[in-house]
Amino acid sequence: MLVRPSLELWRIIRIKAQFQVVIVAGTRHKYSVCERVPAMSASISGEDPHFEGLSNQVVTKDRFGRPVVEIDDMLFHYKGSKMAATGGRQWPKGRIPISFDGISEDRQAQIRRAADLWAPAGIKFPDKAANDYAYLQIIASKERNLTTVGFGMVGPHTCELVSWGDIPTLAHELGHAIGLEHEQSRSDRNNYIVVNIENLTKFGNDQFAKSSRIVHQTEYDVSSIMHYKQFVSDKRFVIDPEEPVFYLKEGVVVTGRAGMGSAPTKLDLEGVAKFYGGHLGS
Ligand SMILES: [Zn+2]
């Protein structure tokens, strides 16, 4: 069922006080250890830039009028004068309720298949229940994938999708919902890959901006589901699709493929399990 923004906002206001208690209870012992802070740009706050060298971050509004910043397929909520102190964090108990608004059964099944790939890390994606006041709202898009990074607030968290037939990409988007940013944005990535800057457009170059706030839960994983592919066909990003967008540094051994493969890797799952305060398989 499509929920109208006005109704949704009214409900958010109504339950806000109640939910804040839940957030505090769920985060007290955890966030000081593995807090993941969302993007912050020099152009927004003038301090502590999150993505180095990224020039085009602007604050826009989402469908509910909430201030947000979009970076590639990631959406970050913005609050006050700083990028949200909310956002990019763990969902309570690793539980991410999903609301399907006007999404066909076939597409819902695709999402569930992608969601199951994260189950070994202890992440659950149940259907939204009536008392789930924070949830991932799956929306069909004509043109793009765009997902809110991590848990941020009461209310709907955006997950706009266009890649319905592509389970790895759906798993990648759900990785953002879990709280992950792009692997190649890690501050230590130059130890593992060499970005082929000459083959990137300005827009493509922005996608490789390093993020100083990504918390490294595991060693760098070139095969991460959150890593860009080595070859990109989209001419918005690359000049020559036949050429790679990055090379592996000499001595870097990859067991799978370089760039995202078909599913979250063991390191992806380990990292998420750790991020949520658990262990793989626990
Ligand atoms: Zn992404």
Side-chain angles (χ1 to χ4, degrees), residues 32-274:
S32 59
V33 180
C34 47
E35 180 177 3
R36 184 181 288 262
V37 184
M40 184 187 296
S41 119
S43 64
I44 293 168
S45 68
E47 58 183 57
D48 193 12
H50 181 49
F51 284 93
E52 298 164 21
L54 195 57
S55 56
N56 63 353
Q57 291 177 65
V58 289
V59 179
T60 55
K61 292 204 169 154
D62 72 1
R63 293 168 303 114
F64 300 97
R66 301 174 302 196
V68 293
V69 173
E70 294 176 14
I71 299 167
D72 192 15
D73 64 337
M74 299 181 288
L75 185 148
F76 298 90
H77 284 269
Y78 180 83
K79 192 177 183 184
S81 60
K82 286 189 170 185
M83 183 61 77
T86 62
R89 301 184 184 218
Q90 298 96 332
W91 286 75
K93 298 179 181 173
R95 186 176 173 278
I96 308 177
I98 291 187
S99 148
F100 296 102
D101 284 341
I103 306 298
S104 71
E105 290 289 328
D106 285 353
R107 288 178 169 183
Q108 290 186 31
Q110 292 286 89
I111 293 285
R112 291 196 179 93
R113 282 176 62 195
D116 285 347
L117 296 175
W118 290 106
I123 305 296
K124 297 173 212 66
F125 290 92
D127 286 0
K128 176 185 176 298
N131 62 351
D132 283 326
Y133 300 119
Y135 55 93
L136 194 63
Q137 187 174 44
I138 308 288
I139 303 158
S141 169
K142 288 192 171 65
E143 57 192 9
R144 64 176 180 178
N145 298 311
L146 180 72
T147 304
T148 305
V149 176
F151 169 77
M153 74 237 127
V154 173
H157 291 57
T158 297
C159 183
E160 282 183 39
L161 298 171
V162 70
S163 307
W164 297 103
D166 182 351
I167 297 288
T169 296
L170 297 180
H172 173 102
E173 293 304 313
L174 294 179
H176 286 317
I178 288 168
L180 303 177
E181 294 182 25
H182 291 139
E183 190 79 357
Q184 75 277 356
S185 292
R186 280 174 53 148
S187 58
D188 61 346
R189 66 110 190 279
N190 288 352
N191 297 335
Y192 302 89
I193 63 170
V194 178
V195 179
N196 187 9
I197 295 169
E198 277 119 55
N199 194 31
L200 295 174
T201 62
K202 184 178 179 310
F203 186 60
N205 197 36
D206 279 350
Q207 313 314 317
F208 276 90
K210 283 195 283 183
S211 167
S212 55
R213 293 193 169 201
I214 293 180
V215 177
H216 304 165
Q217 303 288 356
T218 62
E219 65 210 70
Y220 192 89
D221 184 4
V222 178
S223 302
S224 168
I225 194 84
M226 305 313 291
H227 203 297
Y228 277 2
K229 292 178 179 172
Q230 200 168 16
F231 291 88
V232 175
S233 57
D234 192 330
K235 294 276 244 172
R236 287 177 305 161
F237 299 94
V238 292
I239 294 158
D240 181 358
E242 303 294 316
E243 291 291 318
V245 295
F246 66 87
Y247 301 98
L248 292 180
K249 273 213 127 153
E250 209 177 321
V252 173
V253 179
V254 179
T255 44
R257 81 163 79 171
M260 69 180 269
S262 57
T265 63
K266 187 156 181 283
L267 280 178
D268 285 331
L269 297 170
E270 272 176 21
V272 168
K274 217 167 139 191

